[in-house]
Amino acid sequence: VAKPIDLLQGTLDMLILKAVSLGPLHGYGVLLRIQQISKDRLEIQQGSLYPALYRLEHQGWIASEWGESENKRKAKYYRLTAAGKRRFQAETEKWNRMADVIAGILSTRPEEV
Amino acid sequence: MTIWSRLRSWLRTILQRAGVEGELDAELRFHMEARAEDLIRGGVPCEVALRRARLEFGGIENAKEECREARGVGFIESLLQDVRFGTRMLRKSPGFTAIAVLTLALGIGASAAVFSLVNAILLKPLPYPDSTRIVLPELVSPPGVNLGSEYFPWGQLQFRMLTRDAHPFQTVAAFQNDTFNLTGSGEPSSLDGFRASQEFFSALGVAPTLGRAFTSEEDQPGREFEVILSDRLWRERFAADRYILGRTVVRIPARGRNAE
């Protein structure tokens, strides 16, 4: 099994937005969902997850609400807000443009310069 | 970035600090327990599962601190810390503290004094009904003519002319600063006062508390010996004597004046 790679700086916020855009989740659920989508190829520091959630909530991209978990316990659920949805789309676009540019640069061959 | 969500989150944090802290604890506890259950399901013994979950999570206190900062409370906490630190430092160097406090006290005192003066002179209306309609007209030199001064005192003649001719004022009154000698009633003293025409009180829209204002007979040459005492003088020198009306209270060399 390949060793999971660490997250790039600033990408955790985007992944959290993506995770909660698929449906409301509690903090632990966000962690599981990102791991599940990434097929365990990403290593997420659990300790950095909650500050990120709080930051996103403070900025208004996500909203929280106490609800009941699968095993009948009280848990805080996060969902994407309308502003968060717009933000997520903008971030996705930016990321794709950036990835294109970087990939283009890295794949340049000597004869193309 | 919505300002409202930030404000809401700040307010919530400030007003319900204990509640927010409790929520943070509960949220992290839920995370640990859920993780521990998953570990148990994966074959980790019950006894060590929770501890393992904690270890995986990393520094909990650190994460909590970062959460608080993310909510925007960091600045309140650090403000409180600064205040505490400042107090400690001030207590450590009393000489500096004394000078700083003295400087502040003098500065604030001077500002307050200037303000109360400006407030009394410029901002607060005069203590008379309809005080905005009380004006002090001034005699000015005609435009283009240099008479050595721009403003001139009113003379008796101008005043007579003003009251005789049609004028835009409801009431016109004249007054002039003067000093008077008070004798025959305790220690002799020099008092600041006004010589005022008959209409002085009606122009201000007030009446004496005791007695009456000047009459037209008293507004003639030779009748300038009737006085009206200020409230302060009446209380300080005459013990607020209600039977003072008509008494001779002031003597200016050889001539009496009656209190009115």
Side-chain angles (χ1 to χ4, degrees):
Chain A
V1 183
K3 197 172 176 288
I5 51 172
D6 280 335
L7 268 185
L8 272 181
Q9 189 89 44
T11 48
L12 179 58
D13 287 9
M14 217 161 39
L15 297 184
I16 292 174
L17 291 179
K18 175 65 188 178
V20 295
S21 76
L22 302 170
L25 288 170
H26 48 68
Y28 186 58
V30 171
L31 184 79
L32 293 183
R33 181 160 292 172
I34 294 175
Q35 279 174 346
Q36 175 212 342
I37 307 173
S38 75
K39 301 190 182 65
D40 288 332
R41 285 173 302 180
L42 278 182
E43 173 84 34
I44 292 173
Q45 299 297 326
Q46 295 181 38
S48 61
L49 177 70
Y50 286 90
L53 283 169
Y54 274 64
R55 191 167 54 242
L56 291 170
E57 187 183 12
H58 184 57
Q59 287 168 333
W61 311 143
I62 58 177
S64 68
E65 207 172 27
W66 285 89
E68 207 171 61
S69 73
E70 317 82 63
N71 47 15
K72 304 279 171 224
R73 253 185 303 173
K74 249 183 70 160
K76 200 172 167 194
Y77 278 84
Y78 295 92
R79 60 173 175 78
L80 201 62
T81 63
K85 207 170 163 182
R86 284 195 297 276
R87 171 77 175 186
F88 175 59
Q89 278 163 359
E91 287 286 314
T92 307
E93 249 170 63
K94 202 170 116 191
W95 173 263
N96 285 338
R97 271 208 314 274
M98 181 70 130
D100 271 354
V101 172
I102 301 288
I105 292 171
L106 294 182
S107 65
T108 307
R109 283 187 299 271
E111 59 268 27
E112 287 172 323
V113 179
Chain B
M1 190 150 313
T2 57
I3 286 171
W4 290 119
S5 71
R6 285 182 163 208
L7 270 181
R8 251 205 315 276
S9 127
W10 271 336
L11 274 181
R12 225 165 76 84
T13 319
I14 295 162
L15 296 177
Q16 323 166 349
R17 216 168 124 192
V20 167
E21 280 292 302
E23 276 190 19
L24 182 55
D25 282 342
E27 191 175 13
L28 294 180
R29 203 180 316 121
F30 172 82
H31 179 105
M32 301 297 169
E33 287 168 5
R35 180 69 192 143
E37 277 166 29
D38 277 1
L39 287 172
I40 291 166
R41 230 170 280 137
V44 175
C46 266
E47 311 87 67
V48 291
L50 201 60
R51 214 162 68 89
R52 174 87 69 85
R54 285 225 175 86
L55 278 175
E56 270 182 23
F57 190 91
I60 292 176
E61 280 313 312
N62 208 8
K64 278 191 192 171
E65 191 51 45
E66 280 180 46
C67 284
R68 280 179 214 123
E69 266 167 37
R71 301 205 70 125
V73 263
F75 87 99
I76 294 170
E77 301 271 315
S78 59
L79 188 75
L80 286 176
Q81 270 171 19
D82 285 350
V83 168
R84 278 196 292 270
F85 177 70
T87 322
R88 264 205 314 280
M89 292 314 279
L90 286 177
R91 216 177 290 152
K92 245 170 81 176
S93 45
F96 171 78
T97 308
I99 290 171
V101 167
L102 202 69
T103 311
L104 279 175
L106 287 177
I108 293 168
S111 314
V114 169
F115 174 75
S116 54
L117 207 70
V118 168
N119 185 38
I121 294 172
L122 296 177
L123 303 177
K124 239 191 351 214
L126 294 168
Y128 304 112
D130 257 342
S131 63
T132 51
R133 294 180 58 204
I134 297 174
V135 293
L136 196 63
E138 283 181 33
L139 282 180
V140 294
S141 57
V145 180
N146 185 6
L147 294 173
S149 170
E150 222 174 312
Y151 300 100
F152 295 92
W154 286 81
Q156 222 185 74
L157 187 65
Q158 282 106 345
F159 177 67
R160 293 268 169 247
M161 279 163 69
L162 182 67
T163 46
R164 198 189 52 208
D165 300 340
H167 57 72
F169 306 110
Q170 198 179 324
T171 313
V172 180
F175 64 94
Q176 188 183 16
N177 292 29
D178 207 346
T179 50
F180 305 89
N181 296 327
L182 174 65
T183 55
S185 166
E187 214 171 292
S189 55
S190 174
L191 303 172
D192 290 320
F194 294 108
R195 297 182 181 278
S197 71
Q198 175 205 349
E199 304 88 355
F200 185 71
F201 285 93
S202 55
L204 294 178
V206 292
T209 330
L210 215 57
R212 53 172 175 79
F214 299 127
T215 62
S216 49
E217 291 89 60
E218 287 160 359
D219 202 21
Q220 302 296 325
R223 292 291 308 272
E224 64 262 35
F225 300 116
E226 323 289 332
V227 297
I228 295 171
L229 301 178
S230 74
D231 188 73
R232 212 182 77 188
L233 184 68
W234 179 54
R235 285 177 199 286
E236 284 177 3
R237 293 298 294 261
F238 301 101
D241 179 5
R242 300 189 69 84
Y243 300 101
I244 197 172
L245 297 183
R247 256 181 59 193
T248 300
V249 293
V250 182
R251 283 180 189 282
I252 271 191
R255 295 172 99 169
R257 294 180 172 216
N258 291 323
E260 283 287 347

